[in-house]
Amino acid sequence: MPNYKKLYTDIISHKNPEKWEECSFILAKEELTTLDIINLNEIIFNDADKEVTRFNQQHKSYDKNAIIDMLMHQQVNKLNNTQLATHFKLSRNSVAKWKKEYTL
């Protein structure tokens, strides 16, 4: 498994030092979760081309912990499937499938 903390620290310090303050609270954590990585990507690479973003979105995969975290986020913030899908840039069908598989 890659050392995401080191990887993102290097990316920020070399290419985007102005975004260090926004990312420092995430990088200060002992262990980064999948949602932390998604948040870091959003902060650092938010200016990406729409085509690149769409291509990358099609090739994302999530582990069980990340899925459960997203579904918990939905419950805590009282979001419907469409709102959760929009927030995390997912398919509504994926959210519905996960809810059936991982009932909380």
Side-chain angles (χ1 to χ4, degrees):
M1 183 165 188
N3 184 352
Y4 288 110
K5 191 179 271 194
K6 173 93 171 104
L7 181 69
Y8 282 101
T9 303
D10 289 347
I11 289 171
I12 294 168
S13 63
H14 290 19
K15 295 191 177 196
N16 298 50
E18 68 279 358
K19 296 188 179 185
W20 179 256
E21 280 188 37
E22 292 178 71
C23 300
S24 62
F25 72 96
I26 297 173
L27 292 170
K29 293 182 178 181
E30 186 87 15
E31 191 173 312
L32 297 178
T33 64
T34 306
L35 294 179
D36 292 332
I37 302 302
I38 293 169
N39 289 336
L40 283 171
N41 271 332
E42 186 71 27
I43 293 169
I44 296 170
F45 303 112
N46 196 19
D47 305 330
D49 184 357
K50 286 183 181 180
E51 245 179 77
V52 173
T53 303
R54 189 174 48 151
F55 176 80
N56 289 339
Q57 192 62 34
Q58 292 175 347
H59 295 89
K60 280 187 178 179
S61 64
Y62 301 98
D63 61 357
K64 184 177 179 178
N65 291 334
I67 293 169
I68 291 172
D69 286 345
M70 285 187 239
L71 294 176
M72 290 298 291
H73 177 81
Q74 181 181 25
Q75 282 185 342
V76 168
N77 294 298
K78 297 180 175 98
L79 303 175
N80 61 33
N81 288 358
T82 304
Q83 291 168 325
L84 183 70
T86 303
H87 179 75
F88 286 109
K89 298 179 184 166
L90 303 166
S91 158
R92 289 177 297 132
N93 293 333
S94 295
V95 175
K97 178 183 167 191
W98 292 344
K99 284 179 82 171
K100 287 178 186 175
E101 286 183 31
Y102 305 103
T103 56
L104 300 174

